[in-house]
Amino acid sequence: MENSSLPFSFNLTMFVNIGHYRFAAFIFCLLLYSFIVCANLLMIVVISQYRVLHQPMYMFIALLSANALYGSTGFFPRFLMDLLSDVHLISRLACFTQIYVIYTYGSNELTILSIMAYDRYVAVCYPLHYHKKMTSKTVAVLSVLAWIFPALSLSGLILMSARLPLCGNEIEKVFCANWNVVKLSCVSTDLNNAVGMFLTITTVFFPLFYVLYSYLRILIVCWSRSAVFKVKVLHSCLPHIVSFVIYSIAGFCDVALSRFNLEDINPFVAVVLSLEFVVVPPVLNPLVYGLKMPDIRRHILGLFTCNKKMNTNPLCD
């Protein structure tokens, strides 16, 4: 066995040398991060401010925006520093902290989307029992579980990875990822792989299959109903379906990239694909919900109008 150690820092090797263009890339990514923060904060403020939006569906959208802020904050500040740096070393503690934040962000996202699918399933399939099933207490419990379960389950996996003796410190990514660290191990990682597979099934595939099951049941209910009912359900469910598809594609690209030999892929393409998971959902989710859901769109416009015409806009009351 090679000499093993616990490296003090890791080297992120996927950064492409773009010369002076890195300043333009820095400005673009800074603006992107600013948009993510502003757009998702706006969603949270609008939903919290207007009482008519204090409904389960909108509360879960606010939770999705809060998770976007959490995940992007775990990625962008460090990434922006690396864009301007010639050396891309990250301390061991910072690396595993970033792994924890990004992995819990991804798991939270899917858990919240599955809860939103359950909400739409109850609303469409059991409309007369909706308010009885989706009480404020139920919403609070589901929201807490959406954060607590991934936080606790992933803590054990990451602690196991942190204890591995490593024979290298190069991570083929622009941010720290658990699988890339495990690949550096000098000892057998069978236990890590088994725990990782179990957590993948419980935190990824179970919610994934439940979302698909929920929308399949909704589709079956809509099949025999009127055209007006179908259009109403489509308007209600379409933003959630779009968010789910966006997240699934971004997650698939990240997982697929970790299994490929990066030497066979164009470096720029590899970087773009690796960024999708932490960039695309936080950017598109507020656009999808803000533009596609009339109640949110109306109150966003009302919020800006209130700042100009405080006494003439009825939404300001």
Side-chain angles (χ1 to χ4, degrees):
M1 183 176 68
E2 300 177 35
N3 292 331
S4 63
S5 63
L6 298 178
F8 179 76
S9 61
F10 292 97
N11 184 25
L12 304 174
T13 63
M14 197 186 280
F15 281 91
V16 180
N17 184 8
I18 55 177
H20 295 297
Y21 290 106
R22 64 181 179 178
F23 297 103
F26 174 83
I27 296 298
F28 173 77
C29 291
L30 180 61
L31 292 175
L32 194 64
Y33 180 45
S34 301
F35 173 80
I36 290 173
V37 172
C38 293
N40 285 283
L41 276 178
L42 178 62
M43 295 289 290
I44 295 172
V45 169
V46 167
I47 292 171
S48 62
Q49 180 170 341
Y50 294 104
R51 185 170 298 179
V52 69
L53 298 179
H54 293 180
Q55 302 176 32
M57 177 172 61
Y58 301 114
M59 300 305 291
F60 294 139
I61 293 173
L63 194 64
L64 206 61
S65 291
N67 188 54
L69 293 174
Y70 168 71
S72 58
T73 302
F75 166 74
F76 270 100
R78 172 71 204 190
F79 179 71
L80 290 170
M81 288 192 301
D82 280 326
L83 283 176
L84 297 180
S85 177
D86 294 322
V87 179
H88 307 112
L89 295 176
I90 181 171
S91 70
R92 186 180 180 86
L93 177 61
C95 184
F96 281 103
T97 300
Q98 188 179 63
I99 290 173
Y100 179 78
V101 172
I102 291 178
Y103 275 54
T104 50
Y105 147 76
S107 185
N108 291 344
E109 189 89 357
L110 191 53
T111 306
I112 296 169
L113 288 172
S114 64
I115 292 173
M116 296 170 77
Y118 171 73
D119 174 72
R120 292 299 84 203
Y121 165 72
V122 175
V124 174
C125 299
Y126 303 98
L128 299 180
H129 301 282
Y130 179 76
H131 294 290
K132 183 178 179 180
K133 289 179 176 289
M134 298 301 297
T135 63
S136 57
K137 181 179 179 180
T138 302
V139 172
V141 170
L142 290 175
S143 300
V144 170
L145 288 177
W147 287 80
I148 295 297
F149 176 69
L152 294 179
S153 60
L154 289 170
S155 295
L157 176 65
I158 294 172
L159 285 174
M160 289 176 61
S161 300
R163 293 170 62 88
L164 287 173
L166 306 178
C167 290
N169 72 331
E170 294 190 349
I171 296 178
E172 295 180 308
K173 227 169 175 61
V174 293
F175 58 88
C176 288
N178 186 67
W179 173 247
N180 296 78
V181 173
V182 171
K183 287 194 297 185
L184 299 174
S185 175
C186 301
V187 298
S188 173
T189 59
D190 290 343
L191 180 59
N192 294 72
N193 294 336
V195 174
M197 181 60 67
F198 174 76
L199 290 179
T200 300
I201 293 173
T202 55
T203 63
V204 177
F205 287 109
F206 280 173
L208 178 67
F209 289 140
Y210 181 76
V211 170
L212 296 176
Y213 167 78
S214 298
Y215 285 119
L216 178 61
R217 290 292 303 273
I218 291 173
L219 181 64
I220 293 173
V221 170
C222 292
W223 191 263
S224 58
R225 304 295 289 272
S226 66
V228 174
F229 181 83
K230 293 177 182 177
V231 170
K232 184 178 179 179
V233 171
L234 180 64
H235 279 293
S236 175
C237 295
L238 184 60
H240 308 302
I241 296 173
V242 171
S243 291
F244 175 70
V245 171
I246 290 171
Y247 174 81
S248 299
I249 293 175
F252 173 78
C253 289
D254 184 71
V255 172
L257 187 65
S258 66
R259 306 297 174 180
F260 276 102
N261 184 2
L262 296 181
E263 295 179 356
D264 299 331
I265 304 176
N266 182 286
F268 181 75
V269 173
V271 171
V272 171
L273 291 176
S274 68
L275 292 178
E276 281 193 51
F277 180 65
V278 289
V279 173
V280 175
V283 169
L284 293 185
N285 280 345
L287 293 177
V288 169
Y289 291 109
L291 296 177
K292 288 293 184 180
M293 305 199 76
D295 289 340
I296 294 180
R297 183 173 67 247
R298 183 173 68 253
H299 285 90
I300 287 176
L301 295 175
L303 185 66
F304 285 109
T305 306
C306 286
N307 293 329
K308 297 181 179 180
K309 301 179 180 180
M310 186 65 70
N311 297 323
T312 59
N313 186 3
L315 292 174
C316 298
D317 297 336

